[in-house]
Amino acid sequence: MKIRYQNQSTPQFLDSILETMTLEEKIGQLVQADLSWDVDLESMVRSGAIGSLFTIKDVNLIHHYQDIAVNQSRLGIPLIIGNDVIHGFKTILPIPLAQACSWNPGLIEEAERMVTKEALYAGTHWNFAPMVDVARDPRWGRIAEGSGEDPFLGAAIAEARVRAYQAEAILPGRKMAACVKHFAGYGAAIGGKDYNSVDLSERSMREVYFPPFQAALNAGCKTLMTAFHDLNAIPATANTWLLVDMLRKEWGFDGLVVSDFDAIGELIHHGIAADHKEAALLAARAQVDMDMMGNAYPFHLKTLLDEGKIELDWINCAVRRVLTLKAELGLFEHPFVDPLQAEEIFLSEAHVKTAKKLADESIVLLKNDNHLLPFDPKGKTIAVVGPLANDCTSILGCWRFAGDLTRTETILDAMSRTYRDTTIRFAQGCTVTGEILNADSVSKVLEGADVCVCVVGEEESMSGEAHSRAFLDLPGQQKALVEHVSKSGVPTVLVVASGRPLVLTDLVPGVDALLMAWHGGTTAGAVIADVFCGVINPSGHLPVSMPRSIGQIPVYYAHNSTGRPVEARGVIQFNREHKSKYLDESNEPLYPFGFGLSYAHFKIGEVVLEKESFTKNEQILMRISVQNESNIRGATVVQVYVRDRVASVARPVRQLVWFEKLTLDRGETKKITAAILPKHFGFYDPSMTFVIEPGVYDVFVGFDSKAPQAGTFSITG
Ligand code: BGC
């Protein structure tokens, strides 16, 4: 396989190549296809009619097409290969929602760098990640792919991921591009139904849904993907307010914008384009550079140009963006990789270790009555039950990419491997979705057991894209299974392996301990085994509120006060207090955003604000004393929330503005300094101008979003 271009990644080179290109070759650079496209793919690549292929795991297949592009096409422009490496290539990390439970962007960055290495070595040039859609509705299956409900936490993680995916020096001469998606508001699909319409105010877009995108772009993210939904009736892929006014003009983004899969073609179903030609025109006007499987650009851009509906300048600009990206990633000089090297690093000891570190921090302990955990298994009998206890498929989660089932240990296997002098008895009880509960087999293993570990949840295919759910109970007979176990009187640890928060309200009282394990990836089994026996002390905190019931959804901590808040004395009308609440359900979630227990016990001590008042250009410094009151080392997440008492618009009752993950030895006290930037509680005034208003602010410090008030400061003009 020869390489045609050496040291050619300069602007002059790009000019010269653009001058040499025919219109057809230019349009080709704006076309992205996967292998399912019903065309003669090889001939199209050979004629320069395709600029990018995606969803190809096999490096040999990548090389096959790359060889055609580089060595058999007229200009030899390399293909850029995109893939959805959402939480791992071969070594699979916990799903992104679980990763967010670590509240540890540094560790996420480290682990995702490892993922980048595997992907780069296997020929991927472009990662369709990070997915940064804020999600406040767990019915939406794609909540699994993001960082939860909060824009501040989401922004911190978005930045970390971009840095990891675009890191230098992972593969000599080459880099991978990140692609932040799905722009924007996709997580607010009405009713939590994937692809559904989104109706959001400009304020919500700017204050809640945009910040993680802006953070990703500020971290240098080279590309952005559009979204499927219609935003306030204008489909995101043709939405010039989103893609031109905000993205290009206000934020000055000059990188590549790719449509989501067939999102240009789907403008027809949205009912804003009569055919693919009109769809292509609308997307081009919104400055979408590349058409992913939309059947629009490849067949209609030329006609639109001939008819004078689009300009050659626009095509040139879009092509230049594609070529610039290819050049920046080193593709002209290094279009091929060494497949043998990839095999050596996949699932290497170091990679599995890194994955485990992150998986350890992704587990959230939600309940631990009478310190049932950690449990010393030595000499004990453990009943392991439930459909996910011996399942290595589901725990890899949605988008498991090239995840290797043969290298994924189940929870049951990990417990059997790690515990010594322990009797482990297993009964599956039921399947995840099945209608039959084999209660007898469960009773048998429970008889005389010292403890029961009951592992329930969702299959990997129950969350992710196009997998929304209207009910958030445990599917099938699993609820009955847990109730059956609870009745046995055997102390029970409920382990929930799912792609989203589930409604567990009825089950929690009947179990002694509750661990949210999510879908934890390659090392999920080992992590649960270690957490159970105390080798790992859980430190995860929820990045999303756990609902008590479906009727509460969306339930999230940063809601506005309303005029009749539940905490205040209600207005009496018709002899009854009128408040913003349900007659039949609490306003509170089952577990609040930010919550997570540890085997250690922490306390916030003195909180000292550096001053009483600050200008809007100053950092608000606060010294916080944190104590580990227990006799075991552990980690927690210190969180600071702020409330603007009186503003020119209604503000959230509190919003996260700072956090730090902290490890403390037994009995240790640490003094940390929180530095809050006023821009993090700034907002858009009634004229949509960003302001940090003078006034009084309450500050809350603790370990979750219910943290008590710790002080007050003012912002002067
Ligand atoms: C998803 C994107 C993904 C793309 C390519 C689409 O269906 O919405 O997130 O990157 O497919 O696989």
Side-chain angles (χ1 to χ4, degrees):
M1 292 174 191
K2 68 179 191 304
I3 292 149
R4 212 181 295 186
Y5 297 100
Q6 299 287 347
N7 305 318
Q8 299 275 17
S9 309
T10 61
Q12 293 82 344
F13 162 67
L14 294 179
D15 286 340
S16 71
I17 206 165
L18 256 170
E19 273 166 27
T20 338
M21 293 172 89
T22 63
L23 178 63
E24 287 74 12
E25 284 164 337
K26 286 180 179 174
I27 292 173
Q29 289 302 308
L30 311 183
V31 175
Q32 185 177 57
D34 76 5
L35 304 186
S36 70
W37 205 21
D38 194 15
V39 291
D40 180 352
L41 216 51
E42 291 188 1
S43 314
M44 284 186 79
V45 172
R46 195 169 291 113
S47 67
I50 290 180
S52 173
L53 290 179
F54 71 107
T55 313
I56 322 190
K57 294 176 195 171
D58 178 2
V59 63
N60 295 313
L61 203 54
I62 292 175
H63 280 180
H64 171 72
Y65 287 106
Q66 192 67 304
D67 183 48
I68 298 176
V70 170
N71 295 317
Q72 300 172 37
S73 74
R74 191 178 78 90
L75 292 174
I77 299 174
L79 293 165
I80 177 165
I81 306 296
N83 272 316
D84 291 278
V85 192
I86 307 299
H87 57 109
F89 193 90
K90 271 266 181 189
T91 311
I92 306 299
L93 303 175
I95 54 167
L97 184 67
Q99 293 185 25
C101 296
S102 72
W103 290 58
N104 191 343
L107 179 57
I108 293 175
E109 184 174 342
E110 183 191 331
E112 291 288 355
R113 268 177 78 105
M114 170 277 282
V115 169
T116 304
K117 186 167 179 181
E118 291 194 359
L120 261 179
Y121 273 57
T124 298
H125 313 136
W126 188 7
N127 191 2
F128 298 143
M131 187 282 216
V132 303
D133 297 308
V134 169
R136 294 176 164 181
D137 189 334
R139 291 173 298 181
W140 191 55
R142 301 199 83 168
I143 196 170
E145 296 173 53
S147 297
E149 74 179 49
D150 187 63
F152 183 77
L153 178 63
I157 295 175
E159 263 172 43
R161 282 181 192 282
V162 170
R163 281 197 300 267
Y165 300 145
Q166 299 192 163
E168 306 278 347
I170 289 186
L171 182 63
R174 283 272 320 281
K175 265 188 7 179
M176 192 163 83
C179 182
V180 65
K181 68 189 189 183
H182 308 83
F183 196 58
Y186 184 36
I190 293 173
K193 190 169 57 178
D194 205 8
Y195 313 128
N196 204 6
S197 302
V198 170
D199 208 284
L200 285 175
S201 67
E202 182 174 342
R203 171 176 314 287
S204 294
M205 292 303 292
R206 287 180 179 273
E207 293 177 0
V208 179
Y209 293 88
F210 283 162
F213 282 94
Q214 289 170 290
L217 297 179
N218 290 340
C221 188
K222 289 178 184 294
T223 75
L224 173 142
M225 190 184 288
T226 69
F228 289 123
H229 62 281
D230 71 278
L231 173 68
N232 306 328
I234 317 286
T237 302
N239 193 311
T240 52
W241 177 72
L242 273 179
L243 295 168
V244 182
D245 299 347
M246 295 307 308
L247 183 68
R248 300 291 191 195
K249 294 191 181 152
E250 197 169 313
W251 303 348
F253 178 65
D254 195 30
L256 178 72
V257 172
V258 61
S259 77
D260 201 346
F261 196 116
D262 192 29
I264 301 183
E266 288 167 17
L267 296 176
I268 300 170
H269 289 298
H270 277 291
I272 66 159
D275 50 28
H276 281 88
K277 184 174 148 197
E278 200 180 352
L281 177 62
L282 293 174
R285 282 195 183 141
Q287 297 187 22
V288 176
D289 300 302
M290 189 181 270
D291 177 358
M292 182 197 287
M293 289 296 281
N295 280 305
Y297 284 8
F299 308 116
H300 301 288
L301 282 189
K302 185 170 180 317
T303 322
L304 289 170
L305 186 73
D306 292 344
E307 290 173 359
K309 292 192 171 136
I310 58 169
E311 312 254 314
L312 185 58
D313 274 359
W314 173 76
I315 294 192
N316 283 339
C317 171
V319 175
R320 179 178 276 281
R321 285 189 181 123
V322 178
L323 296 179
T324 305
L325 183 67
K326 291 182 175 179
E328 284 176 355
L329 301 182
L331 295 186
F332 283 99
E333 286 137 307
H334 305 285
F336 302 103
V337 289
D338 175 359
L340 292 179
Q341 275 191 338
E343 288 301 328
E344 276 167 27
I345 61 156
F346 284 154
L347 285 157
S348 66
E349 207 182 314
H351 286 196
V352 173
K353 204 169 153 195
T354 308
K356 170 113 184 344
K357 247 193 336 194
L358 182 54
D360 287 348
E361 295 203 16
S362 302
I363 302 290
V364 191
L365 176 67
L366 292 173
K367 178 176 181 181
N368 193 17
D369 277 3
N370 306 317
H371 301 287
L372 174 62
L373 295 178
F375 187 89
D376 181 0
K378 201 157 186 266
K380 304 280 175 31
T381 297
I382 304 177
V384 177
V385 304
L388 286 162
N390 200 24
D391 175 333
C392 62
T393 314
S394 300
I395 52 179
L396 286 182
C398 60
W399 290 115
R400 67 162 182 254
F401 208 70
D404 188 344
L405 296 181
T406 64
R407 294 284 301 273
T408 311
E409 203 178 23
T410 69
I411 295 172
L412 179 66
D413 286 344
M415 288 184 153
S416 311
R417 174 178 57 81
T418 8
Y419 305 158
R420 298 273 164 263
D421 302 326
T422 306
T423 306
I424 296 181
R425 303 193 208 130
F426 171 61
Q428 183 177 307
C430 59
T431 58
V432 171
T433 51
E435 287 306 311
I436 297 165
L437 171 64
N438 189 343
D440 289 347
S441 68
V442 176
S443 302
K444 227 183 230 159
V445 301
L446 285 169
E447 215 177 287
D450 296 295
V451 69
C452 172
V453 178
C454 180
V455 191
V456 293
E458 295 180 317
E459 286 166 356
E460 79 287 4
S461 59
M462 302 186 85
S463 58
E465 185 175 355
H467 291 92
S468 294
R469 293 183 58 200
F471 299 98
L472 295 180
D473 302 325
L474 289 169
Q477 287 300 305
Q478 295 182 85
K479 200 170 167 193
L481 171 69
V482 180
E483 282 162 358
H484 181 77
V485 170
S486 295
K487 275 192 214 132
S488 72
V490 176
T492 297
V493 181
L494 185 64
V495 178
V496 179
S498 62
R500 55 159 68 75
L502 296 174
V503 172
L504 303 170
T505 314
D506 296 345
L507 299 178
V508 172
V511 298
D512 301 85
L514 171 60
L515 283 168
M516 271 314 285
W518 315 101
H519 289 148
T522 304
T523 63
V527 169
I528 293 299
D530 283 354
V531 166
F532 177 78
C533 70
V535 170
I536 299 297
N537 186 352
S539 63
H541 286 240
L542 294 172
V544 67
S545 310
M546 292 275 289
R548 301 180 66 86
S549 59
I550 304 176
Q552 287 183 311
I553 293 171
V555 56
Y556 53 96
Y557 83 93
H559 57 83
N560 290 352
S561 157
T562 79
R564 295 183 173 185
V566 75
E567 309 80 29
R569 186 173 175 276
V571 165
I572 308 292
Q573 271 179 253
F574 312 111
N575 292 327
R576 209 177 159 154
E577 265 197 333
H578 283 44
K579 294 182 177 192
S580 176
K581 69 179 181 68
Y582 302 103
L583 292 178
D584 48 6
E585 183 56 282
S586 148
N587 279 7
E588 296 299 320
L590 184 61
Y591 296 105
F593 172 84
F595 180 75
L597 299 170
S598 160
Y599 299 152
H601 186 257
F602 303 96
K603 197 178 120 189
I604 299 287
E606 205 183 24
V607 177
V608 183
L609 273 151
E610 188 202 28
K611 299 193 283 184
E612 278 175 12
S613 69
F614 300 81
T615 70
K616 61 183 179 195
N617 300 318
E618 283 179 294
Q619 285 192 350
I620 292 140
L621 296 179
M622 204 164 40
R623 268 182 299 283
I624 306 169
S625 163
V626 192
Q627 194 187 344
N628 179 352
E629 294 188 311
S630 67
N631 60 2
I632 169 171
R633 180 184 159 88
T636 186
V637 180
V638 180
Q639 301 161 39
V640 178
Y641 296 82
V642 158
R643 175 178 187 156
D644 188 347
R645 275 201 197 159
V646 182
S648 54
V649 300
R651 299 298 302 143
V653 290
R654 59 178 64 190
Q655 58 188 128
L656 180 71
V657 290
W658 187 88
F659 65 88
E660 186 170 310
K661 183 127 194 202
L662 208 61
T663 301
L664 294 176
D665 274 331
R666 54 184 177 163
E668 190 187 6
T669 299
K670 265 190 190 161
K671 285 194 172 33
I672 55 171
T673 302
I676 303 161
L677 299 178
K679 69 173 181 187
H680 289 136
F681 51 79
F683 59 89
Y684 288 82
D685 72 7
S687 67
M688 280 297 142
T689 307
F690 187 77
V691 287
I692 297 155
E693 285 187 344
V696 179
Y697 293 79
D698 296 326
V699 61
F700 308 84
V701 180
F703 305 111
D704 60 54
S705 56
K706 301 306 280 179
Q709 186 168 354
T712 294
F713 62 86
S714 6
I715 293 288
T716 56

